[in-house]
Amino acid sequence: MDSVCSNVITREGIQTVAVENHCNFSRNSDLCICVVTWNMNGQVSYEDLVELIGSNRKFDLLIVGLQEVPRNNIARLLKRAVAETHDLFAKAIMQSLQLFVFGPRNSEPLVKELKVDKYSVGGFGGLIGRKKGAVAIRINYKGITMVFISCHLSAHARNVEERNSECRHILHSLFSKNQNPYADPAHITVWLGDLNYRIQGLNTHPVRNIIHKDLQKLLTSKDQLLQEAERGQIFNGYCEGSLTFKPTYKYNIGSSDYDTSYKVRVPSWTDRILFKIDDPEKINAALHSYESIDDIYSSDHKPVKAHLCLTVNKHSSITSR
């Protein structure tokens, strides 16, 4: 299949993107985006949110997707954390599933389109309403149309087909109401969230031994998300950075130790960030980081962060839209 991302290892389904560590931010790019996803497990501290965002604020857009959000006003805490550099452009909230888009202060006039949508696929559980499904924001900023989808899919290793079905329904349903059939597609679509795909076919102790030796890349062939994409079930044409960080679930709360409960769950990369360029001749996407944030301990998930920069082909008419 044709490559839709730069610097990729070609495969059917999801294409693995090489991470270009150095970034000059907007000097060599038209738009730099910091994307963060985190399943909060119903807990939050302001210090964790500050750590989540980080101190380097040279990016243009900040996208924060959260799952299992507690009842606190997270928007208020996030706005406080980025107040010196960024303003809240948009939010999409469906109970515990939330998505926020922040942009540079005083740059809101550069937003030409803004739409919000949501799609529910589940009910409640535990002490908080743990909503499953997706929330999404469509935004045109600096002439680039982007769709960000933050999701929380069905849990448990056995429910692969259920997750696949949810992905397809979410993609087909979002922004479909009163959709203009002649409208241009988004230049880039970014999926983030707790997709809940697991390591398949290995018991927990062999998996942990591999991770302990820092050889987790050997586990990617057992990752359900990549397997299902290769089967053509989901995310065809999407890109993702190499899974060089440790699986992000499930940890003992308050530590970086994997689950020691009676379930001793198999560590898995449940938390992911993927992206798809509609027309690579118009926009080039470079991934400058894809990593977990291991210094946050309040949840049984580790957050995942990506740094993505877009460059518009100078011969493209993209900015005239």
Side-chain angles (χ1 to χ4, degrees):
M1 67 186 296
D2 295 333
S3 170
V4 295
C5 312
S6 63
N7 302 311
V8 302
I9 302 169
T10 303
R11 70 191 326 151
E12 291 301 314
I14 294 171
Q15 299 182 5
T16 300
V17 182
V19 175
E20 305 172 15
N21 290 319
H22 182 66
C23 176
N24 289 323
F25 294 92
S26 297
R27 189 178 308 167
N28 293 335
S29 304
D30 293 293
L31 188 66
C32 283
I33 309 169
C34 177
V35 184
V36 183
T37 181
W38 185 28
N39 183 319
M40 303 176 75
N41 193 37
Q43 308 295 323
V44 69
S45 74
Y46 176 71
E47 291 72 24
D48 281 346
L49 294 178
V50 171
E51 179 75 19
L52 186 76
I53 296 162
S55 58
N56 189 338
R57 307 282 176 78
K58 294 181 180 179
F59 47 76
D60 297 293
L61 297 182
L62 169 65
I63 315 302
V64 181
L66 303 171
Q67 307 85 44
E68 297 194 15
V69 177
R71 297 186 184 278
N72 311 54
N73 188 338
I74 299 301
R76 178 177 56 82
L77 295 177
L78 285 171
K79 285 194 288 186
R80 175 184 164 196
V82 301
E84 292 184 3
T85 57
H86 285 71
D87 293 328
L88 179 62
F89 280 0
K91 60 183 178 180
I93 294 177
M94 186 171 65
Q95 296 179 26
S96 65
L97 186 55
Q98 304 187 8
L99 175 65
F100 304 91
V101 174
F102 293 88
R105 293 191 65 187
N106 305 316
S107 68
E108 201 156 357
L110 297 175
V111 176
K112 302 303 180 185
E113 177 189 7
L114 191 58
K115 295 180 180 177
V116 173
D117 204 358
K118 60 186 178 181
Y119 182 81
S120 175
V121 298
F124 303 90
L127 297 177
I128 62 171
R130 294 180 178 178
K131 199 71 173 175
K132 298 292 176 65
V135 291
I137 295 173
R138 179 183 172 102
I139 184 172
N140 182 300
Y141 180 75
K142 289 188 172 182
I144 301 174
T145 301
M146 298 160 277
V147 170
F148 300 101
I149 301 170
S150 177
C151 69
H152 191 186
L153 306 183
S154 292
H156 308 302
R158 64 183 180 273
N159 289 328
V160 178
E161 293 300 333
E162 189 172 347
R163 285 189 282 276
N164 291 350
S165 177
E166 289 168 359
C167 283
R168 291 189 289 265
H169 280 95
I170 288 167
L171 191 61
H172 292 149
S173 299
L174 289 173
F175 302 111
S176 63
K177 309 178 193 69
N178 305 316
Q179 177 69 50
N180 178 358
Y182 304 104
D184 291 323
H187 296 117
I188 181 171
T189 301
V190 180
W191 274 70
L192 56 146
D194 181 358
L195 277 70
N196 251 325
Y197 288 91
R198 308 301 175 97
I199 297 295
Q200 180 76 35
L202 291 176
N203 292 327
T204 189
H205 294 298
V207 170
R208 293 174 191 223
N209 288 336
I210 291 171
I211 297 169
H212 182 70
K213 296 175 182 177
D214 202 24
L215 297 173
Q216 54 267 12
K217 289 179 71 173
L218 299 177
L219 298 171
T220 57
S221 64
K222 303 295 185 179
D223 176 71
Q224 289 178 340
L225 178 56
L226 296 178
Q227 288 177 342
E228 294 305 300
E230 288 179 353
R231 289 180 56 224
Q233 298 300 302
I234 48 171
F235 291 114
N236 191 43
Y238 276 76
C239 301
E240 182 184 25
S242 301
L243 294 170
T244 57
F245 51 88
K246 296 178 181 179
T248 55
Y249 175 85
K250 175 181 170 103
Y251 286 88
N252 290 334
I253 294 173
S255 77
S256 285
D257 299 324
Y258 284 112
D259 178 28
T260 56
S261 74
Y262 72 95
K263 293 183 179 180
V264 287
R265 291 174 179 83
V266 179
S268 297
W269 287 289
T270 56
D271 310 277
R272 313 287 277 268
I273 299 170
L274 306 101
F275 63 96
K276 183 176 184 179
I277 300 294
D278 177 61
D279 187 346
E281 293 186 1
K282 292 183 177 180
I283 290 186
N284 176 70
L287 187 65
H288 292 287
S289 71
Y290 189 43
E291 59 192 352
S292 61
I293 306 174
D294 295 335
D295 294 334
I296 290 179
Y297 307 102
S298 57
S299 173
D300 53 358
H301 291 251
K302 297 297 184 183
V304 172
K305 178 184 283 190
H307 180 77
L308 186 66
C309 287
L310 308 180
T311 305
V312 178
N313 185 329
K314 300 310 177 186
H315 302 290
S316 168
S317 60
I318 181 174
T319 56
S320 64
R321 293 185 179 186

